[in-house]
Amino acid sequence: MLQLKKLGIDDLVRPMALVLHQLHEKQLQVHFDFMDPPAPETLMRALELLNYLGALDDEGNLTEMGDKMAEFPLDPQLAKMLLASPLYNCSNEVLSVCAMLSVAMVFMRPRDQAQEADAAKAKFQHIDGDHLTLLNVYHAYKQNEHNQRWAYDNFLQLRSLKQADNIRDQLQRQMVKHGLALNSTAFASDDYYTNIRRAICSGFFMQIAHLERTGHYLTAKDNQVVALHPSCTLDTQPEWVLYHEFVLTTRNFIRTCTTMRGEWLVETAPHYYDLSNFPQGECRRCLERLYDVKLRQIDTAGARV
């Protein structure tokens, strides 16, 4: 849909309120002559996602952000994450994360060498989760100068790593073309990994799960019970988790997960975490407390001025 809007096909989407009304009345129609028309529910989800990401306005028009996002050969959430990264002073690192998320899984786990593969993976493990673990893998791959033997010894898929390196080069050229800063926070800074996680949150704030008192995770808004995938590198159960994939097998799993802070959600996406349209539950109560804290901070700052 984003690509079609970029091509100037304006009858594809209409004002969000009209789409929602027509969906409710079961009258939603698509004027664009698709060979295989999407289901109305699929169309609505795509519209909502692009609207929340800021790619489309409430009238269904392409925004400046959406125009930039369409220039990148990425899923919209990855594109938004990449475009936001210069603001968090971490675009070099987010380029690497985007590239690693765009290829097949780099970790190999042969059945007859499962323990050795797990031990090798643990060397790259980051305490905050899988996105930063993938970043560690890419950095190690570059430091070892694309060495085939090193990849084999560490149970890493060399083809995926090479592909990620090529994708990163392409994305970097696009960044330079559009005048986006290539920057990094100093590695010694306490904010190095924090800034990367905040940039990731700017694109994936809709894919968040909250840890309930019962010990299981519920996805925000949807309230679906999920579990961390066995491949997840997190050793603990943080209160807030951002996930890249929702996997349905024998259970609902979330895969490629990284810890988040609730206050980032309130700061980054108050339009999505609007409590007037949020289901009851522990997640909502936590968000209410976070909004209260934010209001008190604003009031205190105003009083000082």
Side-chain angles (χ1 to χ4, degrees):
M1 290 185 64
L2 188 60
Q3 293 298 327
L4 290 171
K5 283 295 295 181
K6 176 73 174 178
L7 292 171
I9 300 171
D10 292 322
D11 65 345
L12 180 67
V13 289
R14 280 145 292 148
M16 188 68 65
L18 178 60
V19 170
L20 294 174
H21 173 73
Q22 290 182 339
L23 183 71
H24 178 72
E25 299 295 330
K26 298 182 179 179
Q27 297 175 348
L28 183 59
Q29 297 179 352
V30 182
H31 297 296
F32 181 70
D33 191 18
F34 283 101
M35 291 182 65
D36 185 13
E41 293 80 5
T42 303
L43 180 62
M44 186 198 73
R45 284 196 297 270
L47 280 168
E48 283 187 322
L49 185 143
L50 293 173
N51 181 249
Y52 283 130
L53 289 175
L56 299 179
D57 62 22
D58 290 342
E59 299 300 316
N61 299 314
L62 195 67
T63 64
E64 182 179 352
M65 173 62 72
D67 188 66
K68 291 180 180 178
M69 287 167 61
E71 291 290 328
F72 288 85
L74 294 168
D75 287 340
Q77 289 162 290
L78 287 173
K80 177 64 180 293
M81 175 178 93
L82 188 57
L83 288 169
S85 62
L87 302 175
Y88 296 99
N89 203 33
C90 61
S91 58
N92 287 315
E93 289 74 17
V94 172
L95 271 169
S96 302
V97 173
C98 276
M100 293 291 279
L101 291 172
S102 301
V103 299
M105 182 57 65
V106 297
F107 296 108
M108 296 188 294
R109 195 173 187 267
R111 289 187 178 181
D112 57 342
Q113 294 179 289
Q115 289 185 344
E116 293 91 334
D118 290 342
K121 183 178 181 179
K123 291 189 294 185
F124 305 106
Q125 183 174 338
H126 192 280
I127 190 173
D128 288 325
D130 298 317
H131 292 82
L132 301 182
T133 296
L134 289 174
L135 180 63
N136 287 342
V137 171
Y138 183 78
H139 283 166
Y141 171 66
K142 299 296 286 185
Q143 289 167 3
N144 285 275
E145 300 178 342
H146 310 181
N147 187 276
Q148 182 176 355
R149 184 67 197 181
W150 170 85
Y152 179 81
D153 291 341
N154 285 279
F155 295 88
L156 297 171
Q157 181 61 257
L158 185 62
R159 179 179 297 178
S160 293
L161 288 169
K162 287 182 176 179
Q163 187 179 7
D165 204 29
N166 290 332
I167 290 173
R168 190 189 186 283
D169 287 342
Q170 294 174 33
L171 295 177
Q172 181 170 315
R173 288 195 294 270
Q174 285 290 327
M175 293 277 284
V176 172
K177 176 183 175 181
H178 293 285
L180 297 167
L182 298 174
N183 51 25
S184 296
T185 302
F187 184 72
S189 171
D190 292 339
D191 292 329
Y192 179 78
Y193 288 113
T194 299
N195 287 346
I196 298 170
R197 289 191 292 146
R198 295 193 70 168
I200 295 170
C201 183
S202 67
F204 287 87
F205 55 83
M206 286 176 277
Q207 294 182 196
I208 299 291
H210 180 259
L211 182 64
E212 304 293 291
R213 294 179 185 177
T214 53
H216 62 264
Y217 281 98
L218 283 183
T219 56
K221 276 199 173 182
D222 296 335
N223 280 344
Q224 293 194 62
V225 178
V226 294
L228 300 179
H229 194 270
S231 64
C232 182
T233 57
L234 287 171
D235 288 333
T236 60
Q237 285 190 305
E239 181 181 7
W240 299 94
V241 170
L242 176 149
Y243 61 92
H244 183 67
E245 293 178 287
F246 187 98
V247 182
L248 178 60
T249 55
T250 53
R251 299 167 61 189
N252 292 338
F253 286 108
I254 49 177
R255 186 164 60 188
T256 312
C257 303
T258 290
T259 61
M260 286 291 120
R261 296 179 188 170
E263 55 265 32
W264 298 348
L265 305 176
V266 171
E267 294 169 5
T268 303
H271 58 295
Y272 183 75
Y273 291 95
D274 180 4
L275 297 184
S276 64
N277 185 31
F278 209 89
Q280 295 292 334
E282 289 184 38
C283 182
R284 180 191 173 105
R285 290 192 289 273
C286 288
L287 289 169
E288 287 173 345
R289 290 194 293 271
L290 290 169
Y291 275 116
D292 288 342
V293 170
K294 184 179 179 181
L295 286 173
R296 286 198 297 271
Q297 290 173 344
I298 293 173
D299 291 341
T300 301
R304 289 175 181 170
V305 173

